[in-house]
Amino acid sequence: MQELVIMQNQQAVTSSLQVAKTFGKEHKKVLRDIRDLIKKDGSKIGPMFEKSTYSDSYGRPKEMYFMNRDGFTLLAMGYTGAKAMEFKLKYINAFNQMENEIKAIQAGHLDSYMIEDPVKRAQKWVEEQKAYLKIKPKADYYDSQMHNPGLMTTTEIAKDFGMTAKQMNIKLHEKRVIYRQGKVWVLYRKYDAKGYTQYEPYSYSKDGKKNQGVHNNLKWTQKGRKFIYDLLAEDGIHPVLEQMELLEV
């Protein structure tokens, strides 16, 4: 149930993909429900949804939507049952938490200057900075990195965390995300169709001969990169950028 709600453009949103996954629905049916809502009153309901795309497991662009709290509320009205109610409550809590985090980022340390006592004012400022910097690195990472288009090698992602590709592969293997097959790493079946990776063929030579063989090189999509980010965060492992900013608090 992680990342039900994320921050995008300083707003708490969720995606049609996440809604489909959480409520156990086919994504195409969630898309249909969203389109039906927009058709009813595009001028009022349309701004609650933002059309976007994602790459499927074959690298093909597919339609999806981001939605704010109001958009999710309208969409989820039609989802009934005991489980649906449980998921709605979890979404409400997730939206509340993310919106509070965004407020903390936007507020910065403005409240502390209103305290007259210099000691209490300084203490309040320190508290606000800690709360602000606890959230800001993650927000910065999503905004500047997650929206970066294109595929990434394990080496490139590992660098963000101060690791080598070998160390990252071992960590992902320990988490039972990937396993070694011959000379290449491949995903376990449970992650294979989630759009986390793509395979790019590359030729290799031996004994000075060219194009003697071809291997498939595993590369990560931006969705896969976010998956790794969340997975490592469970163990308290964060990108070097976040580690440095948090240490400054």
Side-chain angles (χ1 to χ4, degrees), residues 27-52:
H27 187 232
K28 64 180 181 180
K29 292 184 178 179
V30 175
L31 292 178
R32 178 202 62 197
D33 294 340
I34 292 173
R35 295 190 197 104
D36 288 345
L37 283 172
I38 295 174
K39 284 179 183 177
K40 289 179 181 178
D41 194 335
S43 61
K44 293 182 179 179
I45 297 177
M48 302 176 188
F49 297 90
E50 180 184 347
K51 197 171 186 178
S52 186

Side-chain angles (χ1 to χ4, degrees), residues 72-120:
F72 168 77
T73 301
L74 285 176
L75 178 64
M77 279 182 182
Y79 301 158
T80 59
K83 276 290 183 183
M85 179 58 68
E86 177 186 340
F87 294 146
K88 289 176 187 178
L89 291 174
K90 287 183 178 180
Y91 260 106
I92 290 171
N93 289 334
F95 268 110
N96 288 339
Q97 182 179 348
M98 180 57 70
E99 286 170 356
N100 287 336
E101 292 177 357
I102 292 172
K103 287 177 183 177
I105 292 174
Q106 293 173 338
H109 58 274
L110 295 179
D111 291 339
S112 58
Y113 80 92
M114 300 175 66
I115 301 175
E116 294 184 7
D117 186 299
V119 175
K120 291 182 179 180

Side-chain angles (χ1 to χ4, degrees), residues 128-155:
E128 290 168 346
Q129 285 297 297
K130 285 181 178 179
Y132 173 74
L133 291 175
K134 181 180 178 182
I135 305 304
K136 186 175 182 296
K138 184 175 181 179
D140 289 344
Y141 189 78
Y142 281 144
D143 289 343
S144 65
Q145 301 295 331
M146 293 306 177
H147 297 154
N148 180 31
L151 301 176
M152 299 191 69
T153 64
T154 302
T155 299

